[in-house]
mmCIF file of all heavy atoms in Angstrom:
data_model
loop_
_atom_site.group_PDB
_atom_site.id
_atom_site.type_symbol
_atom_site.label_atom_id
_atom_site.label_comp_id
_atom_site.label_asym_id
_atom_site.label_seq_id
_atom_site.Cartn_x
_atom_site.Cartn_y
_atom_site.Cartn_z
ATOM 1 N N LYS A 1 38.088 26.538 -17.234
ATOM 2 C CA LYS A 1 38.705 27.869 -17.267
ATOM 3 C C LYS A 1 39.105 28.229 -18.690
ATOM 4 O O LYS A 1 38.869 29.357 -19.165
ATOM 5 C CB LYS A 1 39.915 27.899 -16.337
ATOM 6 C CG LYS A 1 40.575 29.272 -16.215
ATOM 7 C CD LYS A 1 41.714 29.237 -15.201
ATOM 8 C CE LYS A 1 42.363 30.615 -15.069
ATOM 9 N NZ LYS A 1 43.477 30.597 -14.076
ATOM 10 N N LYS A 2 39.707 27.279 -19.414
ATOM 11 C CA LYS A 2 40.084 27.518 -20.817
ATOM 12 C C LYS A 2 38.855 27.818 -21.666
ATOM 13 O O LYS A 2 38.845 28.736 -22.488
ATOM 14 C CB LYS A 2 40.813 26.292 -21.377
ATOM 15 C CG LYS A 2 42.229 26.112 -20.865
ATOM 16 C CD LYS A 2 42.868 24.883 -21.492
ATOM 17 C CE LYS A 2 44.279 24.668 -20.941
ATOM 18 N NZ LYS A 2 44.892 23.440 -21.511
ATOM 19 N N ARG A 3 37.795 27.052 -21.497
ATOM 20 C CA ARG A 3 36.571 27.269 -22.273
ATOM 21 C C ARG A 3 35.953 28.632 -21.962
ATOM 22 O O ARG A 3 35.461 29.319 -22.851
ATOM 23 C CB ARG A 3 35.562 26.156 -21.964
ATOM 24 C CG ARG A 3 35.946 24.806 -22.557
ATOM 25 C CD ARG A 3 34.998 23.712 -22.121
ATOM 26 N NE ARG A 3 35.423 22.423 -22.660
ATOM 27 C CZ ARG A 3 34.978 21.251 -22.235
ATOM 28 N NH1 ARG A 3 34.095 21.207 -21.238
ATOM 29 N NH2 ARG A 3 35.407 20.135 -22.780
ATOM 30 N N PHE A 4 35.975 28.997 -20.688
ATOM 31 C CA PHE A 4 35.387 30.288 -20.307
ATOM 32 C C PHE A 4 36.139 31.442 -20.958
ATOM 33 O O PHE A 4 35.524 32.369 -21.496
ATOM 34 C CB PHE A 4 35.407 30.432 -18.779
ATOM 35 C CG PHE A 4 34.855 31.739 -18.290
ATOM 36 C CD1 PHE A 4 33.492 31.954 -18.218
ATOM 37 C CD2 PHE A 4 35.705 32.777 -17.908
ATOM 38 C CE1 PHE A 4 32.975 33.159 -17.776
ATOM 39 C CE2 PHE A 4 35.204 33.985 -17.463
ATOM 40 C CZ PHE A 4 33.831 34.176 -17.397
ATOM 41 N N PHE A 5 37.458 31.392 -20.922
ATOM 42 C CA PHE A 5 38.227 32.505 -21.477
ATOM 43 C C PHE A 5 38.260 32.501 -23.004
ATOM 44 O O PHE A 5 38.596 33.505 -23.627
ATOM 45 C CB PHE A 5 39.645 32.511 -20.901
ATOM 46 C CG PHE A 5 39.704 33.060 -19.502
ATOM 47 C CD1 PHE A 5 40.099 32.260 -18.435
ATOM 48 C CD2 PHE A 5 39.329 34.371 -19.242
ATOM 49 C CE1 PHE A 5 40.131 32.753 -17.141
ATOM 50 C CE2 PHE A 5 39.366 34.874 -17.948
ATOM 51 C CZ PHE A 5 39.762 34.071 -16.900
ATOM 52 N N SER A 6 37.888 31.385 -23.602
ATOM 53 C CA SER A 6 37.779 31.378 -25.070
ATOM 54 C C SER A 6 36.431 31.930 -25.524
ATOM 55 O O SER A 6 36.284 32.373 -26.668
ATOM 56 C CB SER A 6 37.960 29.949 -25.598
ATOM 57 O OG SER A 6 36.883 29.122 -25.180
ATOM 58 N N ARG A 7 35.442 31.916 -24.599
ATOM 59 C CA ARG A 7 34.114 32.449 -24.947
ATOM 60 C C ARG A 7 33.462 32.947 -23.673
ATOM 61 O O ARG A 7 32.933 32.168 -22.885
ATOM 62 C CB ARG A 7 33.285 31.334 -25.598
ATOM 63 C CG ARG A 7 31.908 31.779 -26.086
ATOM 64 C CD ARG A 7 31.329 30.781 -27.085
ATOM 65 N NE ARG A 7 31.193 29.441 -26.542
ATOM 66 C CZ ARG A 7 30.100 29.007 -25.906
ATOM 67 N NH1 ARG A 7 29.077 29.818 -25.720
ATOM 68 N NH2 ARG A 7 30.047 27.779 -25.462
ATOM 69 N N ARG A 8 33.501 34.265 -23.447
ATOM 70 C CA ARG A 8 33.143 34.833 -22.147
ATOM 71 C C ARG A 8 31.669 34.660 -21.760
ATOM 72 O O ARG A 8 31.312 34.828 -20.608
ATOM 73 C CB ARG A 8 33.494 36.327 -22.113
ATOM 74 C CG ARG A 8 34.978 36.607 -22.028
ATOM 75 C CD ARG A 8 35.571 36.083 -20.719
ATOM 76 N NE ARG A 8 36.998 36.343 -20.616
ATOM 77 C CZ ARG A 8 37.524 37.443 -20.116
ATOM 78 N NH1 ARG A 8 36.739 38.387 -19.664
ATOM 79 N NH2 ARG A 8 38.834 37.599 -20.073
ATOM 80 N N ASP A 9 30.812 34.339 -22.701
ATOM 81 C CA ASP A 9 29.414 34.125 -22.323
ATOM 82 C C ASP A 9 29.150 32.675 -21.917
ATOM 83 O O ASP A 9 28.027 32.284 -21.631
ATOM 84 C CB ASP A 9 28.483 34.513 -23.472
ATOM 85 C CG ASP A 9 28.720 33.671 -24.729
ATOM 86 O OD1 ASP A 9 29.771 33.001 -24.802
ATOM 87 O OD2 ASP A 9 27.862 33.688 -25.625
ATOM 88 N N TYR A 10 30.213 31.880 -21.858
ATOM 89 C CA TYR A 10 30.095 30.463 -21.523
ATOM 90 C C TYR A 10 29.885 30.296 -20.016
ATOM 91 O O TYR A 10 30.561 30.927 -19.208
ATOM 92 C CB TYR A 10 31.372 29.725 -21.954
ATOM 93 C CG TYR A 10 31.426 28.269 -21.558
ATOM 94 C CD1 TYR A 10 30.604 27.326 -22.172
ATOM 95 C CD2 TYR A 10 32.310 27.839 -20.563
ATOM 96 C CE1 TYR A 10 30.666 25.993 -21.815
ATOM 97 C CE2 TYR A 10 32.381 26.505 -20.199
ATOM 98 C CZ TYR A 10 31.550 25.581 -20.826
ATOM 99 O OH TYR A 10 31.624 24.260 -20.461
ATOM 100 N N GLU A 11 28.936 29.469 -19.646
ATOM 101 C CA GLU A 11 28.691 29.142 -18.243
ATOM 102 C C GLU A 11 29.415 27.832 -17.934
ATOM 103 O O GLU A 11 29.066 26.780 -18.479
ATOM 104 C CB GLU A 11 27.195 28.976 -17.968
ATOM 105 C CG GLU A 11 26.422 30.277 -17.985
ATOM 106 C CD GLU A 11 26.670 31.116 -16.737
ATOM 107 O OE1 GLU A 11 26.663 30.573 -15.627
ATOM 108 O OE2 GLU A 11 26.878 32.338 -16.897
ATOM 109 N N PRO A 12 30.440 27.851 -17.087
ATOM 110 C CA PRO A 12 31.212 26.630 -16.808
ATOM 111 C C PRO A 12 30.327 25.472 -16.335
ATOM 112 O O PRO A 12 29.392 25.668 -15.558
ATOM 113 C CB PRO A 12 32.174 27.070 -15.709
ATOM 114 C CG PRO A 12 32.325 28.537 -15.902
ATOM 115 C CD PRO A 12 30.988 29.019 -16.369
ATOM 116 N N GLN A 13 30.637 24.315 -16.838
ATOM 117 C CA GLN A 13 29.923 23.096 -16.458
ATOM 118 C C GLN A 13 30.870 22.235 -15.615
ATOM 119 O O GLN A 13 31.604 21.399 -16.134
ATOM 120 C CB GLN A 13 29.471 22.326 -17.712
ATOM 121 C CG GLN A 13 28.605 23.135 -18.657
ATOM 122 C CD GLN A 13 27.299 23.564 -18.000
ATOM 123 O OE1 GLN A 13 26.589 22.727 -17.435
ATOM 124 N NE2 GLN A 13 26.973 24.850 -18.080
ATOM 125 N N PHE A 14 30.857 22.479 -14.336
ATOM 126 C CA PHE A 14 31.805 21.804 -13.466
ATOM 127 C C PHE A 14 31.361 20.366 -13.174
ATOM 128 O O PHE A 14 30.170 20.060 -13.111
ATOM 129 C CB PHE A 14 31.966 22.573 -12.154
ATOM 130 C CG PHE A 14 32.607 23.924 -12.317
ATOM 131 C CD1 PHE A 14 31.969 25.081 -11.885
ATOM 132 C CD2 PHE A 14 33.860 24.043 -12.906
ATOM 133 C CE1 PHE A 14 32.567 26.317 -12.029
ATOM 134 C CE2 PHE A 14 34.470 25.279 -13.046
ATOM 135 C CZ PHE A 14 33.818 26.421 -12.615
ATOM 136 N N GLN A 15 32.355 19.521 -12.971
ATOM 137 C CA GLN A 15 32.113 18.123 -12.620
ATOM 138 C C GLN A 15 32.698 17.854 -11.227
ATOM 139 O O GLN A 15 33.672 18.495 -10.820
ATOM 140 C CB GLN A 15 32.751 17.192 -13.655
ATOM 141 C CG GLN A 15 32.135 17.328 -15.046
ATOM 142 C CD GLN A 15 32.896 16.509 -16.073
ATOM 143 O OE1 GLN A 15 33.851 15.795 -15.757
ATOM 144 N NE2 GLN A 15 32.469 16.612 -17.333
ATOM 145 N N TYR A 16 32.112 16.857 -10.545
ATOM 146 C CA TYR A 16 32.485 16.617 -9.156
ATOM 147 C C TYR A 16 32.683 15.133 -8.892
ATOM 148 O O TYR A 16 32.180 14.279 -9.623
ATOM 149 C CB TYR A 16 31.401 17.177 -8.217
ATOM 150 C CG TYR A 16 31.082 18.624 -8.492
ATOM 151 C CD1 TYR A 16 30.018 18.979 -9.333
ATOM 152 C CD2 TYR A 16 31.871 19.634 -7.960
ATOM 153 C CE1 TYR A 16 29.749 20.315 -9.600
ATOM 154 C CE2 TYR A 16 31.596 20.966 -8.225
ATOM 155 C CZ TYR A 16 30.542 21.303 -9.057
ATOM 156 O OH TYR A 16 30.286 22.615 -9.335
ATOM 157 N N ARG A 17 33.419 14.854 -7.827
ATOM 158 C CA ARG A 17 33.645 13.464 -7.429
ATOM 159 C C ARG A 17 32.337 12.836 -6.951
ATOM 160 O O ARG A 17 31.556 13.477 -6.254
ATOM 161 C CB ARG A 17 34.677 13.389 -6.300
ATOM 162 C CG ARG A 17 36.067 13.822 -6.702
ATOM 163 C CD ARG A 17 36.988 13.801 -5.482
ATOM 164 N NE ARG A 17 38.345 14.199 -5.835
ATOM 165 C CZ ARG A 17 38.777 15.463 -5.889
ATOM 166 N NH1 ARG A 17 37.929 16.452 -5.606
ATOM 167 N NH2 ARG A 17 40.014 15.740 -6.232
ATOM 168 N N PRO A 18 32.118 11.581 -7.288
ATOM 169 C CA PRO A 18 30.898 10.917 -6.787
ATOM 170 C C PRO A 18 31.016 10.636 -5.293
ATOM 171 O O PRO A 18 32.095 10.356 -4.768
ATOM 172 C CB PRO A 18 30.861 9.607 -7.589
ATOM 173 C CG PRO A 18 32.284 9.356 -7.993
ATOM 174 C CD PRO A 18 32.908 10.708 -8.170
ATOM 175 N N LEU A 19 29.889 10.713 -4.602
ATOM 176 C CA LEU A 19 29.840 10.447 -3.171
ATOM 177 C C LEU A 19 29.918 8.943 -2.928
ATOM 178 O O LEU A 19 29.192 8.164 -3.548
ATOM 179 C CB LEU A 19 28.537 11.010 -2.579
ATOM 180 C CG LEU A 19 28.359 10.933 -1.068
ATOM 181 C CD1 LEU A 19 29.412 11.765 -0.361
ATOM 182 C CD2 LEU A 19 26.958 11.420 -0.685
ATOM 183 N N LYS A 20 30.809 8.540 -2.036
ATOM 184 C CA LYS A 20 31.015 7.114 -1.768
ATOM 185 C C LYS A 20 30.256 6.644 -0.534
ATOM 186 O O LYS A 20 30.564 5.591 0.026
ATOM 187 C CB LYS A 20 32.510 6.833 -1.592
ATOM 188 C CG LYS A 20 33.344 7.134 -2.835
ATOM 189 C CD LYS A 20 34.812 6.858 -2.584
ATOM 190 C CE LYS A 20 35.641 7.171 -3.823
ATOM 191 N NZ LYS A 20 37.094 6.931 -3.588
ATOM 192 N N ILE A 21 29.283 7.429 -0.104
ATOM 193 C CA ILE A 21 28.535 7.115 1.118
ATOM 194 C C ILE A 21 27.044 7.093 0.792
ATOM 195 O O ILE A 21 26.550 7.933 0.042
ATOM 196 C CB ILE A 21 28.812 8.177 2.206
ATOM 197 C CG1 ILE A 21 30.298 8.186 2.572
ATOM 198 C CG2 ILE A 21 27.968 7.946 3.444
ATOM 199 C CD1 ILE A 21 30.695 9.334 3.475
ATOM 200 N N ASP A 22 26.331 6.130 1.346
ATOM 201 C CA ASP A 22 24.870 6.123 1.252
ATOM 202 C C ASP A 22 24.349 7.124 2.288
ATOM 203 O O ASP A 22 24.451 6.878 3.497
ATOM 204 C CB ASP A 22 24.330 4.728 1.550
ATOM 205 C CG ASP A 22 22.809 4.656 1.438
ATOM 206 O OD1 ASP A 22 22.135 5.680 1.655
ATOM 207 O OD2 ASP A 22 22.294 3.562 1.159
ATOM 208 N N PRO A 23 23.811 8.279 1.852
ATOM 209 C CA PRO A 23 23.442 9.330 2.817
ATOM 210 C C PRO A 23 22.352 8.908 3.799
ATOM 211 O O PRO A 23 22.336 9.356 4.947
ATOM 212 C CB PRO A 23 22.971 10.479 1.928
ATOM 213 C CG PRO A 23 22.612 9.847 0.631
ATOM 214 C CD PRO A 23 23.522 8.669 0.469
ATOM 215 N N TYR A 24 21.448 8.040 3.371
ATOM 216 C CA TYR A 24 20.352 7.634 4.248
ATOM 217 C C TYR A 24 20.860 6.698 5.343
ATOM 218 O O TYR A 24 20.517 6.838 6.517
ATOM 219 C CB TYR A 24 19.247 6.962 3.420
ATOM 220 C CG TYR A 24 18.759 7.858 2.310
ATOM 221 C CD1 TYR A 24 19.142 7.634 0.990
ATOM 222 C CD2 TYR A 24 17.959 8.967 2.588
ATOM 223 C CE1 TYR A 24 18.729 8.475 -0.032
ATOM 224 C CE2 TYR A 24 17.538 9.817 1.574
ATOM 225 C CZ TYR A 24 17.928 9.565 0.267
ATOM 226 O OH TYR A 24 17.525 10.403 -0.730
ATOM 227 N N GLU A 25 21.703 5.753 4.934
ATOM 228 C CA GLU A 25 22.299 4.862 5.928
ATOM 229 C C GLU A 25 23.201 5.645 6.882
ATOM 230 O O GLU A 25 23.240 5.373 8.090
ATOM 231 C CB GLU A 25 23.110 3.769 5.226
ATOM 232 C CG GLU A 25 23.740 2.780 6.195
ATOM 233 C CD GLU A 25 24.666 1.788 5.505
ATOM 234 O OE1 GLU A 25 24.710 1.772 4.254
ATOM 235 O OE2 GLU A 25 25.357 1.050 6.231
ATOM 236 N N PHE A 26 23.921 6.641 6.328
ATOM 237 C CA PHE A 26 24.811 7.464 7.147
ATOM 238 C C PHE A 26 24.024 8.156 8.251
ATOM 239 O O PHE A 26 24.406 8.126 9.428
ATOM 240 C CB PHE A 26 25.506 8.501 6.266
ATOM 241 C CG PHE A 26 26.406 9.444 7.017
ATOM 242 C CD1 PHE A 26 27.721 9.103 7.299
ATOM 243 C CD2 PHE A 26 25.941 10.686 7.448
ATOM 244 C CE1 PHE A 26 28.552 9.969 7.999
ATOM 245 C CE2 PHE A 26 26.759 11.558 8.148
ATOM 246 C CZ PHE A 26 28.072 11.192 8.418
ATOM 247 N N LYS A 27 22.901 8.781 7.900
ATOM 248 C CA LYS A 27 22.113 9.504 8.905
ATOM 249 C C LYS A 27 21.490 8.546 9.925
ATOM 250 O O LYS A 27 21.402 8.869 11.114
ATOM 251 C CB LYS A 27 21.034 10.349 8.224
ATOM 252 C CG LYS A 27 21.579 11.636 7.630
ATOM 253 C CD LYS A 27 20.515 12.660 7.372
ATOM 254 C CE LYS A 27 19.682 12.291 6.168
ATOM 255 N NZ LYS A 27 18.728 13.372 5.816
ATOM 256 N N GLU A 28 21.055 7.377 9.459
ATOM 257 C CA GLU A 28 20.495 6.399 10.390
ATOM 258 C C GLU A 28 21.537 5.988 11.433
ATOM 259 O O GLU A 28 21.256 5.931 12.639
ATOM 260 C CB GLU A 28 20.009 5.161 9.629
ATOM 261 C CG GLU A 28 18.716 5.383 8.857
ATOM 262 C CD GLU A 28 18.300 4.147 8.082
ATOM 263 O OE1 GLU A 28 19.011 3.118 8.199
ATOM 264 O OE2 GLU A 28 17.293 4.197 7.370
ATOM 265 N N ARG A 29 22.742 5.699 10.956
ATOM 266 C CA ARG A 29 23.811 5.286 11.867
ATOM 267 C C ARG A 29 24.225 6.442 12.779
ATOM 268 O O ARG A 29 24.539 6.248 13.953
ATOM 269 C CB ARG A 29 25.012 4.780 11.066
ATOM 270 C CG ARG A 29 24.756 3.484 10.323
ATOM 271 C CD ARG A 29 25.937 3.105 9.446
ATOM 272 N NE ARG A 29 27.130 2.850 10.235
ATOM 273 C CZ ARG A 29 28.341 2.711 9.709
ATOM 274 N NH1 ARG A 29 28.526 2.820 8.401
ATOM 275 N NH2 ARG A 29 29.381 2.473 10.493
ATOM 276 N N LEU A 30 24.190 7.646 12.231
ATOM 277 C CA LEU A 30 24.573 8.834 12.996
ATOM 278 C C LEU A 30 23.654 9.014 14.202
ATOM 279 O O LEU A 30 24.117 9.235 15.334
ATOM 280 C CB LEU A 30 24.500 10.049 12.071
ATOM 281 C CG LEU A 30 25.213 11.337 12.467
ATOM 282 C CD1 LEU A 30 26.711 11.102 12.578
ATOM 283 C CD2 LEU A 30 24.938 12.427 11.421
ATOM 284 N N TYR A 31 22.357 8.909 13.962
ATOM 285 C CA TYR A 31 21.400 9.163 15.042
ATOM 286 C C TYR A 31 21.187 7.954 15.957
ATOM 287 O O TYR A 31 20.472 8.057 16.957
ATOM 288 C CB TYR A 31 20.077 9.647 14.468
ATOM 289 C CG TYR A 31 20.131 11.115 14.088
ATOM 290 C CD1 TYR A 31 19.966 11.524 12.770
ATOM 291 C CD2 TYR A 31 20.374 12.083 15.052
ATOM 292 C CE1 TYR A 31 20.034 12.868 12.429
ATOM 293 C CE2 TYR A 31 20.442 13.424 14.721
ATOM 294 C CZ TYR A 31 20.266 13.815 13.411
ATOM 295 O OH TYR A 31 20.338 15.148 13.073
ATOM 296 N N ARG A 32 21.816 6.831 15.605
ATOM 297 C CA ARG A 32 21.775 5.681 16.519
ATOM 298 C C ARG A 32 22.921 5.708 17.525
ATOM 299 O O ARG A 32 22.966 4.891 18.450
ATOM 300 C CB ARG A 32 21.817 4.362 15.727
ATOM 301 C CG ARG A 32 20.484 3.974 15.085
ATOM 302 C CD ARG A 32 20.423 2.482 14.803
ATOM 303 N NE ARG A 32 21.486 2.043 13.900
ATOM 304 C CZ ARG A 32 21.358 1.930 12.582
ATOM 305 N NH1 ARG A 32 20.203 2.237 12.008
ATOM 306 N NH2 ARG A 32 22.365 1.517 11.838
ATOM 307 N N LEU A 33 23.847 6.626 17.366
ATOM 308 C CA LEU A 33 24.971 6.705 18.295
ATOM 309 C C LEU A 33 24.454 7.015 19.704
ATOM 310 O O LEU A 33 23.602 7.894 19.880
ATOM 311 C CB LEU A 33 25.963 7.779 17.841
ATOM 312 C CG LEU A 33 26.714 7.472 16.536
ATOM 313 C CD1 LEU A 33 27.509 8.699 16.073
ATOM 314 C CD2 LEU A 33 27.653 6.289 16.714
ATOM 315 N N PRO A 34 24.956 6.328 20.724
ATOM 316 C CA PRO A 34 24.373 6.405 22.076
ATOM 317 C C PRO A 34 24.816 7.630 22.880
ATOM 318 O O PRO A 34 25.423 7.505 23.947
ATOM 319 C CB PRO A 34 24.867 5.103 22.718
ATOM 320 C CG PRO A 34 26.184 4.839 22.052
ATOM 321 C CD PRO A 34 26.041 5.331 20.633
ATOM 322 N N VAL A 35 24.466 8.809 22.401
ATOM 323 C CA VAL A 35 24.854 10.034 23.094
ATOM 324 C C VAL A 35 24.171 10.138 24.455
ATOM 325 O O VAL A 35 24.733 10.683 25.408
ATOM 326 C CB VAL A 35 24.513 11.279 22.234
ATOM 327 C CG1 VAL A 35 25.027 12.546 22.897
ATOM 328 C CG2 VAL A 35 25.110 11.144 20.853
ATOM 329 N N SER A 36 22.983 9.607 24.556
ATOM 330 C CA SER A 36 22.229 9.712 25.812
ATOM 331 C C SER A 36 22.918 8.983 26.959
ATOM 332 O O SER A 36 22.598 9.219 28.129
ATOM 333 C CB SER A 36 20.809 9.160 25.630
ATOM 334 O OG SER A 36 20.852 7.796 25.258
ATOM 335 N N HIS A 37 23.868 8.099 26.655
ATOM 336 C CA HIS A 37 24.578 7.368 27.708
ATOM 337 C C HIS A 37 25.629 8.231 28.408
ATOM 338 O O HIS A 37 26.151 7.838 29.448
ATOM 339 C CB HIS A 37 25.261 6.126 27.118
ATOM 340 C CG HIS A 37 24.295 5.108 26.600
ATOM 341 N ND1 HIS A 37 24.681 3.960 25.928
ATOM 342 C CD2 HIS A 37 22.935 5.055 26.647
ATOM 343 C CE1 HIS A 37 23.615 3.264 25.597
ATOM 344 N NE2 HIS A 37 22.547 3.903 26.015
ATOM 345 N N LEU A 38 25.949 9.386 27.832
ATOM 346 C CA LEU A 38 26.956 10.257 28.433
ATOM 347 C C LEU A 38 26.346 10.999 29.622
ATOM 348 O O LEU A 38 25.169 11.382 29.591
ATOM 349 C CB LEU A 38 27.480 11.263 27.408
ATOM 350 C CG LEU A 38 28.091 10.670 26.128
ATOM 351 C CD1 LEU A 38 28.534 11.791 25.185
ATOM 352 C CD2 LEU A 38 29.266 9.760 26.456
ATOM 353 N N THR A 39 27.137 11.229 30.655
ATOM 354 C CA THR A 39 26.622 11.902 31.850
ATOM 355 C C THR A 39 27.028 13.368 31.923
ATOM 356 O O THR A 39 26.282 14.181 32.464
ATOM 357 C CB THR A 39 27.121 11.194 33.123
ATOM 358 O OG1 THR A 39 28.553 11.142 33.102
ATOM 359 C CG2 THR A 39 26.568 9.779 33.205
#
């Protein structure tokens, strides 16, 4: 925000928290859940 207001043509370069989950393993485990056992 400070950089943007010091130079209005600046495109902010945002940073983000790293993901602590393996997305491929997550989806595999997700779709192995036994939903078909519900009546």
Side-chain angles (χ1 to χ4, degrees):
K1 184 176 181 180
K2 287 181 182 178
R3 288 175 182 165
F4 179 79
F5 283 116
S6 66
R7 184 162 59 89
R8 287 296 180 88
D9 61 345
Y10 175 71
E11 288 285 315
Q13 303 298 309
F14 294 123
Q15 296 174 3
Y16 307 94
R17 294 176 179 86
L19 185 63
K20 298 179 181 179
I21 298 171
D22 181 332
Y24 304 104
E25 181 186 352
F26 178 85
K27 282 199 286 186
E28 286 178 2
R29 292 175 63 191
L30 197 62
Y31 281 117
R32 282 202 300 266
L33 292 171
V35 185
S36 61
H37 295 175
L38 303 178
T39 56

